[in-house]
Each structure stands twice: as C-alpha cells, then as structure tokens.
Amino acid sequence: MSDDNTAPDNSSAKLVRGSITGHLIGQTLPAIVGVAAIMSIGLVDAYFIGQLGSDALAAISFIFPISVALSSLGVGVMVGINSVVARALGEGDDDKAAQRANFGIVFAVGSGVVMGLALYALLNPIFALMNAPDNLLPLIRLYMEPYALGFPLILAIMGLNGVLRGQGEARKTSTVSISYAAANWVLDPILITGAFGFEGFGITGAAYATIIGWMVGIAVALILTRSAAIQIDLGKLRGSSLVDPAKAIMSVGLPAAMSNAINPIGLSILTALVALEGEAAVAGFGAAGRLQSFATVPLLALSGSIGAIVGQNWGAKEYGRAREAAMYAGGFCIIWGLGIAVAMVAGGEWFADLFSEDPEVIAEFALYLQIAAWGYAGFGLLIVANGILNSVDRARYALGQSALRVFLVMLPVAILLQGSWGSEAIYTAELAANLFGGLTAVILIYYILYRRAPE
C-alpha cells in the first residue's frame, strides 16, 4: 500500500511502520515473560497444594479447567478491547480509540461481577457434572468460594491489559502480569502450607494469594497507563453514545469469549471422563496439563501479540504487512511446537517426579505427554489464527473453528474410544483435536487474509 493509506504520523499506531519481524519479536518476547509468569502461578499452586496430599492435588485438577474457562471468557473481553483499540489507532482516530478503551474497562469489570456471582451460585452443580467425588467437594469449595467473589479483579486487569495491548505496549502488559504473579509466588508458601510460624490456610490460601496478586496487578496497571498514549479517563464517556463502542467490543468480544471458553469446556468434559479412570488419572492429567500450559507459553504469547500487529495494519489498510505477520507467526508455531514436543516426550517421567511420588500418577502423566505433545504445533496454529481473526473483526470464524474442534473431533473421539482404550483415549482425543485445529487454522487464514481481503 502507499503511504497515503498508512496511519498518519501523529497517530499512536506505531505498528504500521517498521519491520514486521521486528514488531513480532518486540511484541512477543515481553509477552512470553508475562505469559510465563501467569502460567507459573498454576505450577506454584500445584507444587504447594501437592504438599497437602493427593486429595488436594486431585481437587485442584477439577478446579483448573473451570478457572481456565472463566479466565478464557475474560480473555475474550480483553481481545475485544484490544481489537477495537488497535483498529481505531490504525485508522488514525485516536479519540475513538480512547473512548472505546475507557468503555472497555467498565465493560470488563461489569462482566467480571456477573461471572463471579454466577460461579458462586452454581458451584455444586458444576462440579457434580464433572463427576467430582463427594470427598473432594469440600476442598473444591474452600478454594472456589473466595475465588468467585474476587473474580471481578482479574477482569479489571484484563480490561486494562486489553487497552495496553491494542496500543502495542507489550512491555507494560508483561510488567502487569509479572507483578501479580510475583505476589502469588511470595504468598503461596505462606498462605497455603505456612511459614515463619504461620500455619497457613491450606487450599484456601491458594485462592487468597491469587486474589491479593490481582489487587497488586490492578495497581501496577493503573500506574503504567499514565505513561501510555491512551489515558484512563472515564469522563470521556460522559455525553457520548455508548452504543457504538458496545457494539464494536461485543462483535469481537462475545464470539471471542465463547471461542476461548470452548476449549476449557471441552477440557472440563475430558476431566470428567478421566475421573472415571480413577483419582490417579485425574491427578496425572491435571498436573501434566499445567506443565503443558507452561511449555506452550511462546505460542500463547504470540497469539496475544499478533492481534495488535495485524489489527493496526488492517485498520491502516496495510494488508500485505498483515499477511506477512501471519506467515511468520505460523512458521514459528510449527517449529516451536515440534521442538518442545520432542523434549516433553523424552523427559515425561522426569517432569512427573516434580509433581508427585505416586507411581500411578507418574505413569499417567508420562502417558499423556507421549500422546498429546505431538499436537502442540497444531494448537499453536489454532490460537494464533484465532488472534488474527479476532483482530480483523472475524471472530465468528474463530468461534466456529473452535466449536468444530471440540464438539466434532475432541469429544467424539474420547467418548467412542474410552471403553477400549481407557485414559489413552482422552489423550488421543486432545491430539486429534489439535491436529484438526491446526489444519483448519491454515485454511481459514488463507481464505480471510488472501482471498477476502480488500485490495
């Protein structure tokens, strides 16, 4: 495109100029640190909760997919804010970007209140549907009740990070993530198992540590937004129509939230199926899933950073730059996914030893990695494609892709094969779903960015 179609020089859309590879690296490296910090919270929680006994570790394995599902709904809200802010900046309309950013934060907090109250009210039926044993339900409630009441805090963080991400402020979003993760690292041993003469609260302490960490993250985010191009000023919403920003965020945020939640919903159903194989299988599956989340951090970081790059360039009508970003991102997903799969398969039992001494848990942990790890590349292509589709206001395509992956592939494979394969069927179902997701991701991105893009 000609320079006439780029954002004006006085625009805050800094990603429509300069090297695409440079922007990908510059946006993704800080995001890797931030995502790793967030993922480390689950690992640290699992480590200290594991010291409370196998029942506590099994309880957190049931909790994990629900917390991921709820957080994924919040991520959808963040993605919606990110998308509308980035495209407005790409168009050169800083005032529209600021209005949508401030509305997005209010919308995020309101969504968090609704989701937190709904979770609190539905705790028993949710975990009953997951086949959680009666002896684990008290432990689950000890964690989930304070977690549900504090949930609006993480939505506030996601709203603020969505505003920062849309501007391409990857370092600031990373700093926010590190701040609340660091608070959790410090508080976990004190509040869970006890330290310095303090007895600790057991599994409830993990929830308290998380909530306090969220408070720290909000404080840091508010400080960092003061030096960003878009300021947090709710007064900008006075006297202006909120219908347009609401529609813009919802058009991306609602399908993105549903798309992000579908995978953890599928994971919750898989956990319920694994529960039929015994507590050792649940504990091994849950712990291995947490390690897997950490191993795929670069892919998750890339899926988060790609949106601002593609979104700003799409808004500026720099379609060639958007395609270039998608191509390089896809290549990275394949290389990283296959490389980390080799490492996970080779070191499966060694990694399992870090989480449990129970030989049955270790065996399930290693079996899961031997099968599911080969789908990491496909998973990376899937989530990066989702990030791209959301950024160009094609979130409904991402939702359809995610729904087909879970309900057409993952769950049927698990249900049909479990009777003869046992827990191996569940792990194979996850592999098949990720391979399907990767293939459909490539087809969709080619269709949207190459065949349907305006010229």
Side-chain angles (χ1 to χ4, degrees):
M1 300 297 296
S2 67
D3 290 341
D4 292 340
N5 290 323
T6 61
D9 288 340
N10 64 346
S11 169
S12 302
K14 61 185 180 180
L15 303 177
V16 301
R17 293 173 287 271
S19 165
I20 285 294
T21 53
H23 288 321
L24 282 168
I25 294 169
Q27 295 295 305
T28 303
L29 283 180
I32 288 174
V33 178
V35 173
I38 295 171
M39 293 301 174
S40 72
I41 294 174
L43 288 174
V44 174
D45 280 354
Y47 175 77
F48 286 104
I49 290 172
Q51 295 184 23
L52 302 175
S54 59
D55 280 356
L57 188 60
I60 208 69
S61 296
F62 279 100
I63 290 167
F64 180 65
I66 298 301
S67 63
V68 170
L70 284 168
S71 296
S72 294
L73 289 171
V75 168
V77 175
M78 179 175 69
V79 166
I81 297 169
N82 179 1
S83 177
V84 298
V85 169
R87 281 184 281 124
L89 291 175
E91 294 165 4
D93 194 338
D94 290 0
D95 289 339
K96 182 168 75 172
Q99 184 198 41
R100 291 183 171 184
N102 281 278
F103 175 81
I105 293 169
V106 174
F107 180 78
V109 174
S111 299
V113 171
V114 173
M115 286 189 279
L117 292 176
L119 173 63
Y120 190 90
L122 298 173
L123 283 179
N124 283 341
I126 287 172
F127 289 99
L129 286 172
M130 292 180 66
N131 295 326
D134 291 341
N135 66 303
L136 296 184
L137 287 175
L139 289 172
I140 291 172
R141 290 193 67 88
L142 284 174
Y143 181 95
M144 292 304 295
E145 287 180 349
Y147 177 92
L149 295 176
F151 191 72
L153 298 174
I154 188 59
L155 263 291
I157 291 176
M158 289 180 178
L160 291 162
N161 270 352
V163 173
L164 292 170
R165 279 190 178 190
Q167 299 172 77
E169 296 285 1
R171 292 181 182 177
K172 287 184 171 68
T173 60
S174 177
T175 301
V176 173
S177 299
I178 292 169
S179 68
Y180 73 81
N184 202 86
W185 302 336
V186 172
L187 293 171
D188 259 3
I190 300 172
L191 298 182
I192 297 175
T193 55
F196 310 114
F198 180 73
E199 292 185 3
F201 296 104
I203 196 170
T204 310
Y208 292 158
T210 297
I211 292 168
I212 295 171
W214 290 341
M215 293 177 180
V216 172
I218 291 172
V220 171
L222 289 172
I223 292 170
L224 292 176
T225 54
R226 294 177 182 174
S227 60
I230 296 178
Q231 300 293 306
I232 304 305
D233 179 9
L234 300 183
K236 292 181 180 293
L237 302 179
R238 293 197 194 99
S240 59
S241 172
L242 302 181
V243 175
D244 178 61
K247 285 183 177 179
I249 292 174
M250 289 290 286
S251 70
V252 176
L254 184 59
M258 294 173 65
S259 177
N260 284 328
I262 282 174
N263 184 59
I265 289 171
L267 180 59
S268 299
I269 297 173
L270 290 188
T271 302
L273 294 174
V274 171
L276 301 176
E277 305 297 326
E279 287 189 18
V282 173
F285 178 65
R290 286 173 179 263
L291 177 65
Q292 173 179 282
S293 297
F294 196 77
T296 56
V297 159
L299 304 177
L300 294 164
L302 181 58
S303 73
S305 64
I306 193 71
I309 299 170
V310 172
Q312 286 192 17
N313 281 285
W314 199 261
K317 298 182 173 60
E318 289 287 346
Y319 304 120
R321 288 171 61 84
R323 296 183 189 113
E324 184 182 356
M327 181 182 66
Y328 284 129
F332 176 80
C333 289
I334 294 171
I335 294 170
W336 178 267
L338 293 177
I340 201 67
V342 172
M344 288 291 134
V345 171
E349 291 192 1
W350 183 84
F351 288 120
D353 285 336
L354 299 176
F355 291 89
S356 178
E357 297 179 356
D358 187 326
E360 292 184 3
V361 173
I362 291 172
E364 289 291 339
F365 187 109
L367 177 62
Y368 173 83
L369 291 180
Q370 287 169 10
I371 297 171
W374 299 111
Y376 290 170
F379 175 72
L381 290 169
L382 168 76
I383 59 176
V384 167
N386 280 354
I388 293 170
L389 293 169
N390 292 333
S391 72
V392 299
D393 200 13
R394 297 295 186 274
R396 285 187 290 271
Y397 286 88
L399 172 58
Q401 176 194 25
S402 297
L404 289 174
R405 171 181 171 270
V406 170
F407 298 114
L408 182 67
V409 180
M410 180 188 286
L411 297 182
V413 169
I415 294 169
L416 291 173
L417 295 181
Q418 186 175 18
S420 55
W421 289 20
S423 61
E424 190 173 342
I426 285 87
Y427 311 153
T428 301
E430 188 170 325
L431 170 62
N434 284 335
L435 294 177
F436 173 84
L439 177 62
T440 55
V442 172
I443 294 171
L444 273 175
I445 293 303
Y446 176 77
Y447 176 70
I448 296 296
L449 297 192
Y450 287 84
R451 299 296 298 273
R452 294 295 299 274
E455 294 297 339

